[in-house]
Amino acid sequence: MRIALQVNGQRHAVDVDPSRSLLEVLREELGLTGTHYGCGESQCGACTVHLGGRPVHACVTPVSDAAGRPVTTIEGLATGGRLHPVQRAFLDEEAFQCAYCTPGMIMAAAALLAENPRPTDAEIVRGMEGNVCRCGTHPRIVAAIRRAAGLSSDGGAAAKARASVTESRP
Amino acid sequence: MSGPRGEGELRVVMLPGEEESTTRRHFLKVVGGGLVVVLVAPRALAWPDAATEQAGAGGPGGDPRPAAGTPREIAAWLQIGPDGVATVYTGKVEFGQGIRTSLAQELAEELRVPLEAVCMVMGDTDLTPYDMGTFGSRSTPQMGTRLRKVGAAARRLLVRMAAERWSAEPGSLTAAAGRITDRASGRSVTYGELAGGEELTEIVEDDVELTPPARWSVAGRSVPRAGGADLVTGAHHYTSDVTRPGMLYGKVLRPASIGATLSGLDANAAEAMDGVVVARDGAFVGVAATDTRVAEHALASIRATWKSAAGPRPSSKTIYDFLRRTRAPSRGEREGRGNRDAFSRGDPGSALEKAAHRVERTFTVAYIAHTPLEPRAAVAEWSKGVDGPRLTVWTGTQRPFAVREELARAFEMPVPHVRVLVPDTGSGYGGKHTGECAVEAARLAKTAGRPVKLVWTREEEFRWAYFRPAGVIDVRAGADAEGTITAWTFDNYNSGPAAIRPMYDIAHQRVEFHPSESPLRQGSYRGLAATANHFAREMAVDELAREVGKDPLAFRLQNLSDPRLKAVFRAAAERFGWEREVPRDHGVGIAGGFEKGGYVATCAEVAADRDREGGRVRLVRAVNAFDCGAIVNPDLLRNQVEGGLIQGIGGALFEAIDFRDGVITNAHLADYRVPRFSDIPEIEIVLIDRKDQPSYGAGETPLMGIAPAVGAAIFEATGVRPSSLPMARGGLSGSS
């Protein structure tokens, strides 16, 4: 079945089984591999993309649902060669280790801030609960979202995970 | 990843010991002629502590030593191009720990070049020297030291070349920012200009003087992660993102249960499908197709019958009795050398009898899954060589050279005819030592005659990868009336021997690791058994402190003599506010230890809600203090120390693999709970920078304090003493 897709502002016509997942079509048909497979069961958020401006887990979204609606993936988040503020903040806070979860985290965070530009820490935690970081960079991710929102990193419980370095000699 | 550069460049090779001519031949074959400096190092430096390496490699994958014929005497090599770029070749791999950045800092420091002038080529078996693997917290102490030496040797050589060019005294020249300058005349030359057009091979001894950490300017600082922009834009290609022309997508038929054998197969429907290839090789059955959906349909159409493994098998409910019952002789005992993982001193039996205070506890730890967010993945491609087929595999493994050998064995081909490349990978935590996915992809590609990508599903990861071993630990401890620990016995069944010996000063002790029969596939995991052994040890010490009537921190300090260990305990306690009051229903705990060159102490505060059925605990706050010597990159270290603690929360509180009749029964992320944002407490990290001490790794030891610190805090909050990991899976368990 031919399906008309609009991904990152570009139109594509793909001839695929309409029940195939959006994730698979993005990766295998359109070569957009920045959206990652993590579980295939809507449990980890590694495949988060925006569909019609809302975050969805592409692994459980049939490609037919995307017909005629704008899709934004991590590859399309930066505009005019400038990183999206959430991407910039993830870099500045170095809010990743292996970074396999990072595209999904950034897409989820960008959607969260579009909906709620000045979230509390509790709202950030609630909004990001569906995204798994296995390396344990959660406090940095919360700090990055606060930074992207223009909020200071002081006061937030999770964002307090800053370190002190003591130089010590016997 | 850039390939070797062209002719006429400076090359420095660090060559530990023997077989120098073989090495040089291999080296020249790979990178061509030019200026080659061979640095000869003692063998001991090149392969430190074989036992550590062995332990680090762990279970699956077998002997980590290289196969005969693999050039293993080169530790790393370095080229300087006419453009002044220093290209480092190392067999280590980047899995998120940040060594692409920190190793480059160490090299740049000694070579005296800006960090931007360093290019790291990692984990490519055709280009990089043999490496046993990226595990055991070895990258910083081992590879970091080698790269510093290579950098220093190259700098010394460049200074000498400039001195010859100018007929100047080497002592009057300085090397900085990729340039040699003659202080007296002010003339200068870049490294690129010096290296260009040279054709020279030189051997130098391993007596290179290194810059002390106190004088570091490029190392010792936080710098942005290499390639960070590609990570936040989706531009980085993990193995699962690699595509090749004409590539097919693979799926593999899995048994109905662990150990089941195939008794019947009908793949006619799959074979009849358009664009589908069915591959069979002994017990292996798989399909490759033009896309994943078609491959899934083809796999689903295969009718297979399975014969279950014989005999009754333990479940996750009966595993601990089973492990104790199936205790087997250790390898040392089988070979008549005694249990190498046993240690004793004094007379712990009679010391226990005489002790004024005694504690006797049994602890258990569950099998847990690494759950790297990028599952096992491989892209395999066959090509023709003049003397037989060639195989190239991209795969996310911590041991590229071992996987190359695994592939060569599987396809009965010479090791050099196989090339393994490891793109920077979506984590591993000790779970990606093996090459099963690479072999499967290569089988499919061989039958299909086209490149094949195979990415395991999350469910396959849970069912067919290997686990951190489950274990049972018996501890008996005694102290005198003044609070000195006098007696200690510690028996670990199956979990492993890492960090099994107590760091406390105990006159009478016996510790022993007993291997058992594991019904599940088990292997390496970040920290190996150090997490389990620290949990049991520190929980027992906490209980003993309370029996004696001493504060758990004071009790530890009284029984420790290592000043660095005492320092991390004090640092954690100070940041945490160990003495401060906490709300009713809250509890605090402290624990720590030493492993792989790192010292850790962790404080935790939990809130308990005993009104709810089974009791609930919430981790409120944690402090991790860590000392691994001179810090190479403070922000990368902080990320590791924080991430390790957070990963440790999962194993401490709720991660466990359930199984019955050879089937994993919670093989989905919905059923296997990993730490999520709402599980993360307020965390503070204290790093102690010991510029007078060698730098060690931080990938493992920072995990080890959190479980016992939380366990002690749970006891204080609830009166329930946890004795099993995980401690709070759907309610508290333990003894009051």
Side-chain angles (χ1 to χ4, degrees):
Chain A
M1 185 174 141
R2 277 183 89 74
I3 295 176
L5 293 176
Q6 188 194 326
V7 182
N8 301 330
Q10 288 203 334
R11 290 175 191 286
H12 303 267
V14 291
D15 190 8
V16 295
D17 176 343
S19 69
R20 235 174 130 186
S21 74
L22 177 59
L23 174 66
E24 213 178 285
V25 173
L26 287 172
R27 292 177 56 82
E28 297 182 7
E29 303 298 326
L30 304 185
L32 294 171
T33 54
T35 307
H36 293 149
Y37 168 90
C39 69
E41 299 170 348
S42 195
Q43 290 291 321
C44 78
C47 64
T48 306
V49 299
H50 298 173
L51 176 58
R54 306 276 303 168
V56 296
H57 291 160
C59 72
V60 291
T61 303
V63 65
S64 54
D65 279 13
R69 298 163 72 194
V71 177
T72 306
T73 71
I74 188 69
E75 291 93 344
L77 198 60
T79 47
R82 284 179 65 87
L83 293 180
H84 185 280
V86 174
Q87 290 174 309
R88 184 73 253 163
F90 268 66
L91 264 186
D92 290 343
E93 294 284 342
E94 215 152 276
F96 46 78
Q97 283 183 25
C98 82
Y100 190 79
C101 71
T102 303
M105 288 283 178
I106 288 174
M107 296 309 286
L112 172 74
L113 293 181
E115 180 90 351
N116 178 1
R118 294 181 68 80
T120 63
D121 278 0
E123 287 168 338
I124 293 173
V125 164
R126 201 156 50 240
M128 300 300 291
E129 192 70 352
N131 287 66
V132 169
C133 167
R134 199 50 186 140
C135 297
T137 66
H138 308 72
R140 287 166 179 256
I141 293 169
V142 173
I145 296 171
R146 292 182 62 86
R147 179 190 278 260
L151 303 167
S152 87
S153 274
D154 301 322
K160 267 193 198 157
R162 303 297 76 172
S164 69
V165 181
T166 319
E167 193 182 317
S168 162
R169 273 177 243 203
Chain B
M1 222 182 265
S2 68
R5 290 159 187 285
E7 295 297 301
E9 295 149 358
L10 170 66
R11 298 189 177 88
V12 178
V13 180
M14 186 171 174
L15 173 65
E18 304 146 36
E19 302 170 67
E20 176 259 314
S21 59
T22 318
T23 298
R24 192 177 307 167
R25 276 201 305 277
H26 173 81
F27 175 78
L28 293 175
K29 195 183 84 191
V30 173
V31 297
L35 179 58
V36 177
V37 179
V38 179
L39 183 66
V40 181
R43 212 162 182 81
L45 176 93
W47 298 114
D49 193 358
T52 306
E53 299 277 10
Q54 192 87 30
D63 192 341
R65 285 172 301 180
T70 307
R72 70 194 77 169
E73 54 283 345
I74 304 173
W77 62 54
L78 166 66
Q79 289 177 284
I80 298 172
D83 53 1
V85 171
T87 305
V88 179
Y89 299 85
T90 169
K92 295 289 179 208
V93 291
E94 174 64 66
F95 268 55
Q97 72 279 47
I99 58 171
R100 183 178 287 282
T101 307
S102 64
L103 291 177
Q105 282 179 272
E106 295 196 77
L107 185 276
E109 177 64 52
E110 292 294 348
L111 189 57
R112 309 281 194 264
V113 295
L115 194 53
E116 302 74 53
V118 178
C119 170
M120 300 287 293
V121 175
M122 303 175 74
D124 177 337
T125 59
D126 264 15
L127 298 183
T128 66
Y130 176 84
D131 187 83
M132 203 174 275
T134 304
F135 54 76
S137 297
R138 303 294 315 163
S139 298
T140 295
Q142 181 189 74
M143 187 54 68
T145 304
R146 287 178 192 171
L147 292 186
R148 287 170 68 198
K149 291 192 173 189
V150 168
R155 166 178 33 103
R156 199 168 61 176
L157 181 74
L158 288 158
V159 165
R160 209 181 66 214
M161 287 163 67
E164 279 165 14
R165 179 180 283 206
W166 296 327
S167 302
E169 277 301 309
S172 68
L173 307 183
T174 52
R179 179 178 284 276
I180 309 289
T181 305
D182 180 352
R183 287 190 299 269
S185 66
R187 64 192 156 178
S188 72
V189 60
T190 65
Y191 288 3
E193 287 167 326
L194 278 171
E198 287 291 340
E199 285 281 342
L200 174 69
T201 299
E202 179 163 318
I203 299 174
V204 296
E205 296 295 323
D206 175 35
D207 58 352
V208 188
E209 195 181 322
L210 296 180
T211 307
R215 300 217 318 263
W216 281 350
S217 59
V218 181
R221 291 193 299 119
S222 298
V223 299
R225 267 276 295 276
D230 285 354
L231 300 177
V232 301
T233 55
H236 173 64
H237 284 180
Y238 296 87
T239 294
S240 41
D241 304 328
V242 169
T243 52
R244 300 293 298 165
M247 186 180 81
L248 301 178
Y249 296 82
K251 287 283 166 193
V252 174
L253 185 70
R254 303 294 175 190
S257 62
I258 295 165
T261 47
L262 190 61
S263 55
L265 185 81
D266 175 0
N268 292 338
E271 275 162 353
M273 287 184 186
D274 263 355
V276 171
V277 176
V278 178
R280 284 205 66 176
D281 190 340
F284 174 83
V285 181
V287 299
T290 44
D291 64 52
T292 298
R293 170 54 64 93
V294 174
E296 282 168 354
H297 281 162
L299 187 74
S301 76
I302 293 177
R303 298 281 161 258
T305 48
W306 299 94
K307 188 172 178 300
S308 300
R313 287 190 283 177
S315 71
S316 37
K317 295 217 185 322
T318 61
I319 181 64
Y320 304 114
D321 287 341
F322 181 87
L323 292 176
R324 201 190 278 282
R325 210 172 57 237
T326 59
R327 169 187 172 177
S330 69
R331 192 161 108 183
E333 286 168 320
R334 288 197 309 273
E335 292 167 2
R337 290 179 288 114
N339 187 351
R340 288 160 65 200
D341 296 314
F343 171 81
S344 72
R345 172 162 80 203
D347 183 355
S350 60
L352 268 171
E353 277 175 32
K354 284 185 217 144
H357 304 279
R358 273 188 292 273
V359 163
E360 186 168 344
R361 289 280 172 199
T362 291
F363 300 91
T364 62
V365 299
Y367 289 105
I368 63 175
H370 308 77
T371 330
L373 208 58
E374 184 187 24
R376 279 165 173 68
V379 176
E381 180 171 296
W382 290 86
S383 59
K384 287 192 179 69
V386 283
D387 51 353
R390 295 290 192 280
L391 173 61
T392 302
V393 180
W394 291 258
T395 189
T397 176
Q398 295 172 246
R399 302 173 68 219
F401 287 85
V403 169
R404 178 171 69 159
E405 285 160 20
E406 200 175 329
L407 287 160
R409 273 195 306 277
F411 298 99
E412 296 176 343
M413 49 197 296
V415 170
H417 291 185
V418 181
R419 179 180 188 181
V420 171
L421 300 99
V422 181
D424 291 6
T425 294
S427 78
Y429 320 117
K432 291 181 179 169
H433 282 202
T434 49
E436 59 279 85
C437 183
V439 173
E440 289 167 355
R443 285 195 199 287
L444 291 169
K446 195 173 183 187
T447 302
R450 288 163 71 172
V452 171
K453 172 167 13 185
L454 176 65
V455 180
W456 279 24
T457 64
R458 178 59 51 196
E459 188 175 345
E460 286 178 295
E461 271 288 324
F462 276 118
R463 292 190 192 284
W464 305 107
Y466 56 88
F467 301 108
R468 183 191 76 178
V472 181
I473 300 172
D474 295 326
V475 188
R476 290 185 299 161
D480 65 19
E482 285 74 46
T484 298
I485 308 175
T486 52
W488 184 263
T489 72
F490 193 97
D491 290 275
N492 175 317
Y493 298 87
N494 190 62
S495 160
I500 196 169
R501 285 173 65 171
M503 66 281 189
Y504 300 100
D505 307 319
I506 306 171
H508 303 280
Q509 52 176 284
R510 183 185 59 77
V511 300
E512 207 161 339
F513 165 61
H514 312 282
S516 305
E517 284 173 25
S518 174
L520 301 188
R521 191 179 174 212
Q522 63 183 22
S524 185
Y525 185 101
R526 196 176 190 183
L528 300 169
T531 299
N533 287 328
H534 274 73
F535 173 65
R537 175 192 312 131
E538 291 292 277
M539 289 301 287
V541 166
D542 185 78
E543 187 173 357
L544 194 56
R546 290 169 201 270
E547 289 290 322
V548 170
K550 292 221 170 188
D551 170 79
L553 171 63
F555 182 71
R556 284 176 169 86
L557 294 175
Q558 178 186 344
N559 284 283
L560 284 172
S561 56
D562 188 320
R564 291 173 72 183
L565 194 46
K566 290 166 103 159
V568 290
F569 269 112
R570 289 196 178 105
E574 186 188 345
R575 173 62 71 90
F576 185 74
W578 178 248
E579 303 288 345
R580 95 196 134 81
E581 291 289 315
V582 294
R584 213 177 68 84
D585 292 339
H586 282 220
V588 299
I590 190 166
F594 168 76
E595 171 71 350
K596 298 196 170 105
Y599 298 81
V600 66
T602 309
C603 292
E605 177 178 343
V606 302
D609 178 0
R610 300 203 68 189
D611 296 336
R612 297 179 57 178
E613 195 181 343
R616 290 285 187 281
V617 291
R618 184 168 55 84
L619 181 53
V620 175
R621 186 162 173 252
V623 171
N624 226 12
F626 190 63
D627 164 10
C628 59
I631 298 175
V632 176
N633 180 319
D635 194 55
L636 279 179
L637 178 62
R638 185 183 311 149
N639 207 338
Q640 284 300 304
V641 173
E642 192 170 279
L645 181 138
I646 289 171
Q647 193 161 75
I649 291 171
L653 290 179
F654 33 70
E655 285 183 43
I657 285 293
D658 296 328
F659 59 100
R660 193 179 55 237
D661 300 329
V663 175
I664 308 299
T665 55
N666 60 341
H668 301 270
L669 265 186
D671 305 318
Y672 183 91
R673 182 175 164 201
V674 298
R676 290 179 183 266
F677 281 89
S678 63
D679 296 310
I680 311 304
E682 181 186 338
I683 298 172
E684 289 166 79
I685 306 298
V686 184
L687 302 178
I688 300 175
D689 189 7
R690 289 293 301 254
K691 292 195 189 298
D692 59 318
Q693 296 287 338
S695 307
Y696 280 90
E700 304 180 87
T701 305
L703 275 85
M704 290 161 199
I706 185 67
V710 168
I714 288 173
F715 173 72
E716 200 177 271
T718 66
V720 175
R721 186 164 279 289
S723 57
S724 304
L725 293 182
M727 291 182 277
R729 192 183 185 209
L732 286 176
S733 63
S735 48
S736 298

